[in-house]
Amino acid sequence: MLSAVIRPVETVAVEVSGGSLAEVYQHLTAQTPSGFDLAKAPVNMAAGSSDLTAVGTFTRVDGTKTIEAADMGTLKALVPDGWRMLCVWRS
């Protein structure tokens, strides 16, 4: 028997701006949705301006479930659309 942990695949994007990288990061941290972690936040500076802008992409890290099946093919078939398999082990 095989077991696997699965989690929903979900992302949220938030645009912020600030006068420094620390300020941009502070704004992103303040807007982090519950159950999500910041995955990436490329920063840009507009020409002729000292303001920085970033689009932070947050990915879901909670909401895991465990599924079981007799073989890997069946286990993969049990993963619903919009979910990702994180790890597999023999049980």
Side-chain angles (χ1 to χ4, degrees):
M1 181 69 69
L2 295 174
S3 298
V5 173
I6 61 174
R7 175 178 68 212
V9 176
E10 185 179 354
T11 61
V12 174
V14 176
E15 186 171 346
V16 298
S17 62
S20 67
L21 286 174
E23 188 177 346
V24 167
Y25 182 72
Q26 181 181 19
H27 291 305
L28 287 168
T29 302
Q31 295 188 41
T32 303
S34 178
F36 287 75
D37 278 347
L38 182 62
K40 62 182 178 178
V43 177
N44 296 304
M45 181 183 286
S49 172
S50 63
D51 285 341
L52 300 171
T53 59
V55 176
T57 302
F58 298 90
T59 57
R60 179 167 290 286
V61 293
D62 67 352
T64 60
K65 294 183 181 180
T66 302
I67 57 174
E68 295 181 338
D71 58 67
M72 192 61 167
T74 306
L75 194 63
K76 286 180 180 180
L78 290 174
V79 178
D81 287 341
W83 289 67
R84 172 183 301 148
M85 192 180 312
L86 301 176
C87 63
V88 178
W89 67 94
R90 293 198 185 279
S91 50

